[in-house]
Amino acid sequence: VLANRQALFIQDQIEISPRLQVLLGARAERFTDRGRAGALPVDSSLAAFTGRAAAVYRLRPAVSLFTSLSNSFNRAPSLA
């Protein structure tokens, strides 16, 4: 089975104030499997979009709070 994986990731960190920074990110993924797994033909393609958001708040110069939220994508395993 010929497996092809492609992904594009972008991310930006924005300073909202001297104490608060926000991070936003996104990832686009594409999975393609073609060929044969034994006697079975395989021809599948799947795409997914996932995102991420985070924030950093500086309490003092040496102390910061960080929080993050993201989602993920797990594709089903191929037959090979």
Side-chain angles (χ1 to χ4, degrees):
V1 174
L2 176 64
N4 185 13
R5 311 290 181 258
Q6 298 172 331
L8 174 66
F9 181 77
I10 59 171
Q11 178 174 296
D12 195 13
Q13 187 165 336
I14 304 163
E15 185 174 320
I16 304 297
S17 73
R19 291 183 172 233
L20 179 63
Q21 294 182 355
V22 175
L23 181 142
L24 300 172
R27 181 179 176 104
E29 299 178 75
R30 182 181 169 98
F31 302 91
T32 305
D33 294 323
R34 288 195 169 69
R36 297 191 78 75
L40 298 174
V42 175
D43 188 6
S44 66
S45 182
L46 190 58
F49 182 82
T50 57
R52 174 182 181 203
V56 180
Y57 185 77
R58 186 172 45 202
L59 295 173
R60 297 191 302 246
V63 179
S64 294
L65 300 175
F66 175 80
T67 186
S68 178
L69 175 68
S70 64
N71 63 343
S72 65
F73 170 75
N74 292 320
R75 73 176 191 95
S78 66
L79 296 172

